[in-house]
Amino acid sequence: MKLRAEPTKNYRLLFSLYFLGFGILVALITSFINYSASVTNIEKRLQHMAVTESQSKREHITNYIDRAERLLFAITDNQLTRSYLLSPGDENRQNLIQLLYALSMSSKDIMQLRYLDASGREVVRINRDKSSASLRVAPDDELQDKGQRYYFKAASKLGFDEVWHSNIDLNIENGQIEKPYRPTLRLATPLIIDNQFQGVVIVNLLFENEINFLTNNPDFLVYLVDKDGEIIHDPDTSGSWSRYLDNKQNMQDLFPEAVEGITSQDNYKVQGLYSFSMTDLFNNDEGLRIVFVARPEVMNSMKSTNMQAALLVAFTVLLVSVPLSWFISLIPSKLQSKLSSAYNKIHKNAVIIDKYVMLSTTDTQGNIKEVSSRFAEVTGYSSEQLIGKRHNLIRHPDTPPSTYEEMWGTILGTGVWEGEMKNRNKRGESYWIHSIINPNLNSASEIEGFTAVDQDITDKKRIEALSMTDSLTGLYNRHKLNELLLCEVSRSSRYQTPTSVILVDVDYFKRINDSYGHNVGDDVLVQLAAIFRKNSRESDCLGRWGGEEFLIITSNSDARSAVDFAEKLRAAIHNELFPKVGHISVSCGVAQYVAGQDATQWISSADKALYQAKEAGRNRVVRS
């Protein structure tokens, strides 16, 4: 028996050694393969992080520039601006000053807002004090001739609704770069009325907060550079503004092997460095680029993590050759490490969400259970004052009940509701939000409460209102009417539906202004607007075309129906008693849209009909 047992014992020993050796070999091969793959995975992960971050920053800057351009259009399209240009008296100039002053209050980034006349002379300038952030209207003796400045020359060559952007540079006072440095972006647009150049509107924006947003990232060192490789922002701020300050390194000095790719390609990448062009966002030749360079500590951490993972896999494979209990003992440690990492990421994201996102949760009865710090900041209430209350604490009376009925009907049916609401904060001030409300469901698909994610869109709403509304009558302004005309031309051409316009002009309006004053004339225009609203359908679009002219777009109406409507308005106005003035009359020109016309030709037809009504004695309706 001993002779037979000995080879068996030796066989088992050799088999064990072989199996253990095979396990070690497999572990080493697996470790090498995993580590090699990890290098590629790190690069892919960094690229994905850089692309995602660049897209987020592009969207932010796009919205920022859009808001600034809307602010300029709110001036060029405003009736107060037109009134000053048609009659540049003291009263109209004061109204223009008040308009620019009010718009300057919309953002603390506005350093200066100006209107320059056709010669380049400053007419109005609003300055923001750099120490107190208060606004100041520049007195007449401080207004300067800017006709030879580059921004006036550039903006004066633009067409209607075009905007010039400056390079991102440092603010200069009295010929010297201002200290502390104030990064500045300037936007300008020409003021064109009746195809006549009337000057330039220009805004100087403090771009420091936007640079901080663009370059703030925990995983990358972020550079802003121009097309020549000059550095606008260096993570080490002492290296910023290489074009404007002496003894500063540029990208050629920092990244000589990558600078050509950075400056010549829209998207450029090498290991650990990723560049994205933002040239298309700015109407200038600066060629702005954002460059992400992976922080050394981030790359080291990734490599260390991947090395540990590779060794862990190898060790796990090795343990297959030894008792199973050794292998199982590693699982809790590995899971704990992943859980700890996941918890840290969740905690970090939760802090960011709490600070920057308006978030609130309620129970099924609508009682507030939890709010973010940002929600409390916007509403003006503390978390303690909000929890346990309902959202009607901040409800604004202007928000119609139908909005809330639609919202509750959607979320109680387990749907997601999205819409805009007007609310009121603790101080009684109005603000607008874009809200998305989700029902919270338990495992049985029953509603346990609701979560609302809100975005403060107050500034957007204010600028939208300024950009589309005539400040005197509250009707649409000419800019908005032009948009509506284009839509009607497209709709009528596509669906072959009749559409007409009515051009209304007040007869002898100049006599009213000359006899009773412009204030009485303004009262007449306001009263006319009220008559138009009272006698119009909801589908009719009413607007002030300019001066004492009004335009009415009557959808789904042929010329005959539009003439009847115009005659109704003419009679209502003729029978109306206007304070101080008495009875007045209007003349109307009607034109139905004809296939193949553009908006200008359509309005020209109505204008010719209006001229015929005037020539025929006024106080009548003429169809083209």
Side-chain angles (χ1 to χ4, degrees), residues 402-594:
S402 59
T403 299
Y404 297 100
E405 292 172 1
E406 178 193 353
M407 177 195 73
W408 280 108
T410 300
I411 61 179
L412 288 176
T414 69
V416 177
W417 183 85
E418 182 174 0
E420 296 179 352
M421 290 183 182
K422 186 178 183 181
N423 286 338
R424 185 164 54 189
N425 64 22
K426 186 178 181 180
R427 297 180 296 276
E429 301 166 342
S430 300
Y431 67 95
W432 281 87
I433 60 170
H434 179 271
S435 184
I436 300 175
I437 305 177
N438 290 274
N440 302 328
L441 307 179
N442 59 20
S443 58
S445 297
E446 298 170 339
I447 297 176
E448 292 184 330
F450 308 95
T451 297
V453 180
D454 303 328
Q455 180 185 3
D456 187 351
I457 58 171
T458 306
D459 289 344
K460 173 187 172 185
K461 284 290 185 180
R462 287 175 180 166
I463 292 177
E464 284 179 354
L466 286 171
S467 66
M468 65 186 289
T469 305
D470 176 59
S471 59
L472 177 65
T473 63
L475 302 178
Y476 287 136
N477 60 23
R478 186 163 184 159
H479 181 72
K480 181 62 177 178
L481 287 171
N482 280 325
E483 291 182 0
L484 295 172
L485 284 169
L486 294 176
C487 292
E488 285 299 317
V489 167
S490 175
R491 186 185 63 81
S492 184
S493 299
R494 182 174 182 180
Y495 299 107
Q496 305 299 313
T497 55
T499 302
S500 300
V501 293
I502 304 171
L503 200 56
V504 183
D505 185 84
V506 182
D507 296 330
Y508 303 111
F509 186 74
K510 186 175 184 302
R511 294 182 185 176
I512 296 174
N513 282 336
D514 294 343
S515 301
Y516 303 98
H518 288 278
N519 289 337
V520 173
D522 288 347
D523 292 340
V524 169
L525 297 179
V526 171
Q527 192 170 346
L528 282 172
I531 295 173
F532 292 148
R533 292 191 189 94
K534 181 179 178 181
N535 291 275
S536 300
R537 306 170 301 176
E538 288 186 1
S539 60
D540 295 327
C541 299
L542 315 174
R544 186 178 178 190
W545 190 243
E548 68 274 17
E549 282 190 336
F550 295 85
L551 182 68
I552 304 173
I553 305 173
T554 60
S555 300
N556 298 315
S557 294
D558 58 17
R560 183 186 185 92
S561 299
V563 167
D564 293 340
F565 177 35
E567 185 62 33
K568 174 184 174 183
L569 290 175
R570 186 204 61 77
I573 293 168
H574 188 68
N575 295 328
E576 182 84 4
L577 188 62
F578 290 78
K580 297 185 181 180
V581 177
H583 293 284
I584 68 170
S585 65
V586 297
S587 300
C588 305
V590 177
Q592 181 177 338
Y593 175 73
V594 177

Side-chain angles (χ1 to χ4, degrees), residues 605-621:
S605 298
D607 190 61
K608 290 178 182 177
L610 175 61
Y611 178 80
Q612 293 173 8
K614 293 285 187 180
E615 288 293 306
R618 295 179 170 79
N619 192 24
R620 65 192 65 235
V621 178

Side-chain angles (χ1 to χ4, degrees), residues 209-326:
N209 290 334
E210 303 312 308
I211 289 179
N212 290 338
F213 176 84
L214 287 173
T215 57
N216 182 29
N217 188 276
D219 300 316
F220 295 95
L221 299 171
V222 185
Y223 296 80
L224 294 180
V225 303
D226 65 19
K227 64 182 180 181
D228 299 321
E230 297 294 342
I231 297 175
I232 298 171
H233 173 85
D234 189 308
D236 178 2
T237 54
S238 62
S240 301
W241 309 109
S242 64
R243 182 180 293 279
Y244 305 97
L245 304 177
D246 295 332
N247 302 318
K248 300 289 183 180
Q249 293 182 314
N250 57 25
M251 294 302 281
Q252 178 66 46
D253 301 318
L254 297 179
F255 304 102
E257 296 180 357
V259 66
E260 182 178 353
I262 292 172
T263 56
S264 64
Q265 300 181 28
D266 287 344
N267 297 314
Y268 176 74
K269 60 185 179 182
V270 294
Q271 188 172 8
L273 185 148
Y274 315 96
S275 170
F276 304 92
S277 172
M278 304 184 80
T279 303
D280 58 307
L281 304 184
F282 297 88
N283 188 20
N284 58 33
D285 60 354
E286 183 171 35
L288 183 67
R289 285 157 170 78
I290 186 167
V291 181
F292 297 91
V293 179
R295 295 180 183 270
E297 61 269 24
V298 172
M299 294 192 70
N300 291 336
S301 176
M302 288 182 175
K303 290 178 181 178
S304 176
T305 301
N306 287 340
M307 174 61 79
Q308 292 174 8
L311 293 175
L312 182 61
V313 170
F315 191 53
T316 302
V317 172
L318 179 61
L319 287 182
V320 172
S321 305
V322 296
L324 188 60
S325 60
W326 285 45

Side-chain angles (χ1 to χ4, degrees), residues 376-395:
E377 178 185 353
V378 173
T379 63
Y381 293 93
S382 66
S383 299
E384 293 75 14
Q385 291 172 321
L386 290 166
I387 292 175
K389 304 294 194 303
R390 296 172 64 88
H391 278 84
N392 57 15
L393 180 68
I394 55 176
R395 180 173 179 174

Side-chain angles (χ1 to χ4, degrees), residues 97-109:
I97 290 173
Q98 291 177 11
L99 172 65
L100 268 66
Y101 190 95
L103 290 173
S104 297
M105 296 178 64
S106 66
S107 172
K108 293 182 179 180
D109 286 344

